[in-house]
């Protein structure tokens, strides 16, 4: 079972209180609707930097580590794995949360995902999104909705 002691902030903060559906409708998902990372979140990001940074560097939106730790996120962790979650937003009328990074031991990542789904449902989230490798998506039960490609030139 994952350590879910930091779920309080994940769900009670970003998913439940910071961006309500009413706020999203009013502000059209303005960046000012989310709070910056607190010291605890930055410490967790730094703890897992060795897993998170390579994924970010090879993602569709690569960025420096300094940019990454200032991107408003929440972190869920277990013994050997981590999920980095973006704040909830409204997409096509649905409340959506996006897993930005999932890394570590697949069994643990799936346990973290299950814990996120339970808490997100309780907060009124209707969809979880994740852009990742096909095997991870398939095992976690995601439906393929897009394909990403890269071509070295």
């Amino acid at each position: 079972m994952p350590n879910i002691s930091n779920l309080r902030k994940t769900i009670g903060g970003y998913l439940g209180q910071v961006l309500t559906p009413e706020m999203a409708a009013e502000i059209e998902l303005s960046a000012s609707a989310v709070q910056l990372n607190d010291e605890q979140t930055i410490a967790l990001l730094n703890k897992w930097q060795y897993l998170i940074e390579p994924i970010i560097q090879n993602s569709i939106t690569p960025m420096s580590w300094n940019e990454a730790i200032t991107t408003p996120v929440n972190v869920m962790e277990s013994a050997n794995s981590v999920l980095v979650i973006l704040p909830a937003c409204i997409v096509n009328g649905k409340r959506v949360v996006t897993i930005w990074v999932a890394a570590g031991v697949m069994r643990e990542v799936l346990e973290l995902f299950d814990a996120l789904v339970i808490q997100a449902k309780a907060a009124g989230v209707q969809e979880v999104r994740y852009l990742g490798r096909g095997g991870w998506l398939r095992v976690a039960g995601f439906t393929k909705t897009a394909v990403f490609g890269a071509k070295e030139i």
Side-chain angles (χ1 to χ4, degrees), residues 6-25:
N6 58 333
L7 281 180
R8 174 194 53 76
K9 181 170 174 271
T10 302
I11 304 307
Y14 290 108
L15 300 184
Q17 297 168 354
V18 173
L19 187 60
T20 65
E22 295 80 20
M23 288 172 63

Side-chain angles (χ1 to χ4, degrees), residues 10 14-15 19 34 61 63 68 71-75 83-89 96-101 116 125 129:
T10 302
Y14 290 108
L15 300 184
L19 187 60
V34 296
T61 54
M63 65 180 69
T71 299
V73 297
N74 284 286
V75 179
L83 289 183
V84 182
I85 306 148
L86 297 173
C89 61
V96 176
V97 67
T98 300
I99 299 170
W100 187 28
V101 174
L116 171 64
V125 172
R129 292 185 175 189

Side-chain angles (χ1 to χ4, degrees), residues 16-135:
Q17 297 168 354
V18 173
L19 187 60
T20 65
E22 295 80 20
M23 288 172 63
E26 286 180 29
I27 60 171
E28 295 295 318
L29 303 179
S30 164
S32 64
V34 296
Q35 58 197 38
L36 296 177
N37 295 332
D38 60 16
E39 289 179 21
Q40 179 184 4
T41 302
I42 292 170
L44 283 170
L45 288 168
N46 285 325
K47 172 184 174 182
W48 294 102
Q49 180 178 357
Y50 74 99
L51 286 177
I52 298 168
E53 189 172 27
I55 293 170
I56 292 171
Q57 291 301 312
N58 293 302
S59 75
I60 193 169
T61 54
M63 65 180 69
S64 72
W65 185 249
N66 286 336
E67 290 174 299
I69 63 173
T70 60
T71 299
V73 297
N74 284 286
V75 179
M76 293 175 64
E77 65 177 341
S78 59
N80 301 295
S81 305
V82 63
L83 289 183
V84 182
I85 306 148
L86 297 173
C89 61
I90 305 299
V91 178
N92 297 325
K94 288 197 280 189
R95 197 160 187 211
V96 176
V97 67
T98 300
I99 299 170
W100 187 28
V101 174
V105 178
M106 185 174 289
R107 177 185 51 76
E108 291 182 14
V109 170
L110 293 174
E111 289 173 355
L112 289 170
F113 172 72
D114 289 344
L116 171 64
V117 167
I118 290 166
Q119 296 296 322
K121 277 184 182 179
V125 172
Q126 298 158 297
E127 183 175 289
V128 176
R129 292 185 175 189
Y130 172 59
L131 174 65
R133 297 189 311 253

